[in-house]
Amino acid sequence: MKLLAWLTISPSLALAGDIAVPHQIPLGFSSLSDQTPLVQSSYWYETVNHNGEASFMRPPCKSAYQVFRNVVTDFGADNTGNVDASTAIQKAIDGTVLLGDATNPPTIKAAASFPSGQHIIYAKDPVQPGTNNFYIAIKNLIIDSTDVDKATTIGHIDWTVSQATQLTNIVFNMPNFSTGHAGVTVALNYPPYPDPSGFNSGIILNDLTFNGGATGMILNGQQFVLKGTSFNRCNTGIRVNGFNFVVHNSSFADCTTGIDAHGVTGSLTVLDTITTNIGTLSLQYAPGRPEKKFVDGEFLTEERSAALTVDGNNYFTMKPPTYREFPVDQVVNVKTITNLPVQGDGSTDDTANINSILLQSVGKVVYFPAGTYMVTDSLIIPPESRIIGDAFATAISAASSSKFIDPHAPTAMVKLGNPGDVGLGQIVDMLFTVSDVLPGCKLVE
């Protein structure tokens, strides 16, 4: 398969549909310098056998439901940059995950005629309030509005969603010091006011890069954590309104204002963050003071455990792994081992065969296609294990078993190693749950 560059978007895209059954959607590839066709991706996720099934559908419906969808090969989206691809992509989106190629992220590019006042992608289901939007993810993309006049009001992503969501590994390219472009917006309300559909309750947004624009992020709501975010040549990096914001391991370069915190009514905490050639890092009113005087806040130096830091200084962080460095022959699909059948059908006990596969696959990537994998005892994750599922569609579920009944002698459903084990253990894009009231089940140990 050979895929080309650029996906050009005229109207906006809306992520809508059954939020319980997401689709993984590789969007092709990109080149920011030209529109030359690129060679086929080496990203294992595109070529691995996607033989999973929707976790939350009734059995008669599962066989006809396409969990994994490629917008180019399955829906005819043009990725040369010459033809509007928005209609084809929208047909593919009947769920909640947009996934780009991690080895060469695709570009979604707004056409010069993109309408003012719109977003390129609406992550919020338009028929649901923001607080009902769960299990939504956008990963491994480049979003570009540099062809749109810098004074035009345009947003890249409307992220008015709540918990159990992922926004990670995305680059937002906008005209430098634009007066109208914004990368990520989270609405407190939608007009006409007051409209509760805009209420939200976000958690973490990580590993995002904002180049140019009037504002990188406009965040309204509560309890946001930003990790590994970079803001370059933005008029304002972040504008926040609400309470409890944490900015960690981030950077601001060549911005007029790093954080406009006029609307913060609770805490704003900035950790392990650097600035280069900016005007002001943070503008903030003192909460609860009617005269609205500016305050600088407190600078604290706290003692940090060496086990949690890098060189005894900043707290250790890392990007969520994509395993893009692994070729497909180093990826083990748990449903393709002939002598160790695993069903993931929500009823078969898969415990013993999964444990055997994990033990013989140390050092490789173990892939769990979409489905619900029932277990009646602990899954033991040996050291040097890398495990990945289909985001929000792969679930490990504790069955009603004697092992998980007694609250006074609980058993771990997923156990990372045994006492004395040392080594790497990573689990990505998996759900852990129970099939019944099981007071003796520890989900993860």
Side-chain angles (χ1 to χ4, degrees), residues 131-410:
T131 48
N132 285 4
N133 279 253
F134 304 103
Y135 299 132
I136 297 169
I138 305 176
K139 303 194 288 186
N140 311 334
L141 294 180
I142 298 169
I143 305 177
D144 190 302
S145 61
T146 55
D147 281 356
V148 180
D149 187 278
K150 66 179 183 179
T152 298
T153 301
I154 178 176
H156 282 202
I157 297 179
D158 180 338
W159 193 246
T160 308
V161 299
S162 290
Q163 293 97 346
T165 55
Q166 300 179 50
L167 191 63
T168 182
N169 197 26
I170 301 175
V171 176
F172 301 84
N173 289 328
M174 299 170 277
N176 289 340
F177 303 107
S178 156
T179 56
H181 294 227
V184 173
T185 70
V186 178
L188 184 60
N189 279 318
Y190 288 104
Y193 302 104
D195 177 8
S197 69
F199 295 161
N200 59 85
S201 184
I203 296 289
I204 187 167
L205 302 92
N206 60 282
D207 303 298
L208 309 175
T209 299
F210 299 87
N211 297 318
T215 310
M217 308 181 79
I218 302 173
L219 304 179
N220 295 283
Q222 58 182 326
Q223 65 198 26
F224 283 100
V225 177
L226 308 181
K227 180 180 75 70
T229 50
S230 298
F231 301 88
N232 309 299
R233 302 176 304 283
C234 308
N235 282 329
T236 300
I238 311 168
R239 191 167 80 234
V240 294
N241 178 45
F243 59 92
N244 297 348
F245 292 87
V246 176
V247 179
H248 181 224
N249 189 40
S250 296
S251 66
F252 298 85
D254 302 308
C255 300
T256 304
T257 301
I259 304 171
D260 181 347
H262 285 83
V264 173
T265 57
S267 65
L268 169 65
T269 303
V270 182
L271 293 170
D272 300 342
T273 291
I274 62 174
T275 63
T276 304
N277 192 32
I278 71 168
T280 302
L281 173 60
S282 178
L283 296 174
Q284 183 177 6
Y285 286 136
R289 297 180 63 172
E291 64 272 25
K292 292 187 176 181
K293 292 182 178 179
F294 285 103
V295 295
D296 291 331
E298 296 183 55
F299 291 84
L300 302 176
T301 301
E302 79 285 4
E303 185 176 345
R304 299 180 175 186
S305 169
L308 301 178
T309 65
V310 179
D311 298 328
N313 191 9
N314 291 352
Y315 285 119
F316 169 80
T317 63
M318 67 174 290
K319 293 183 178 181
T322 62
Y323 306 121
R324 62 182 185 177
E325 68 273 22
F326 284 81
V328 71
D329 61 4
Q330 293 297 303
V331 177
V332 177
N333 181 328
V334 297
K335 294 185 70 173
T336 60
I337 310 302
T338 304
N339 62 330
L340 294 170
V342 171
Q343 303 302 319
D345 58 7
S347 58
T348 304
D349 180 7
D350 288 324
T351 313
N353 287 347
I354 290 177
N355 273 329
S356 296
I357 293 171
L358 291 174
L359 195 59
Q360 70 182 28
S361 303
V362 168
K364 297 183 179 181
V365 175
V366 180
Y367 167 59
F368 285 73
T372 300
Y373 298 81
M374 304 300 293
V375 297
T376 55
D377 202 348
S378 298
L379 294 181
I380 309 298
I381 312 299
E384 306 310 316
S385 291
R386 299 168 176 86
I387 297 171
I388 189 168
D390 287 332
F392 305 132
T394 299
I396 305 295
S397 179
S400 186
S401 159
S402 60
K403 292 283 187 177
F404 302 131
I405 295 299
D406 187 357
H408 302 292

Side-chain angles (χ1 to χ4, degrees), residues 1 29 39-48 101-104 323-329 331:
M1 174 179 14
F29 310 96
V39 299
Q40 181 176 343
S41 170
S42 60
Y43 190 32
W44 65 267
Y45 193 82
E46 183 179 1
T47 54
V48 74
D101 184 325
T103 65
N104 197 354
Y323 306 121
R324 62 182 185 177
E325 68 273 22
F326 284 81
V328 71
D329 61 4
V331 177

Side-chain angles (χ1 to χ4, degrees), residues 25-152:
I25 307 178
L27 295 175
F29 310 96
S30 68
S31 166
L32 290 180
S33 59
D34 55 46
Q35 296 185 11
T36 305
L38 303 179
V39 299
Q40 181 176 343
S41 170
S42 60
Y43 190 32
W44 65 267
Y45 193 82
E46 183 179 1
T47 54
V48 74
N49 185 0
H50 291 278
N51 56 343
E53 59 181 41
S55 293
F56 306 105
M57 278 190 166
R58 295 178 179 178
C61 303
K62 291 184 177 182
S63 60
Y65 192 83
Q66 184 181 359
V67 176
F68 177 87
R69 302 181 179 193
N70 185 313
V71 298
V72 175
T73 59
D74 296 338
F75 291 86
D78 177 86
N79 58 358
T80 66
N82 297 317
V83 178
D84 180 13
S86 53
T87 300
I89 298 174
Q90 190 66 66
K91 287 181 180 178
I93 298 173
D94 185 25
T96 56
V97 175
L98 280 175
L99 175 64
D101 184 325
T103 65
N104 197 354
T107 295
I108 295 181
K109 188 176 179 69
S113 59
F114 196 92
S116 178
Q118 298 293 318
H119 287 73
I120 298 173
I121 297 175
Y122 286 92
K124 176 185 176 296
D125 187 330
V127 300
Q128 295 290 338
T131 48
N132 285 4
N133 279 253
F134 304 103
Y135 299 132
I136 297 169
I138 305 176
K139 303 194 288 186
N140 311 334
L141 294 180
I142 298 169
I143 305 177
D144 190 302
S145 61
T146 55
D147 281 356
V148 180
D149 187 278
K150 66 179 183 179
T152 298

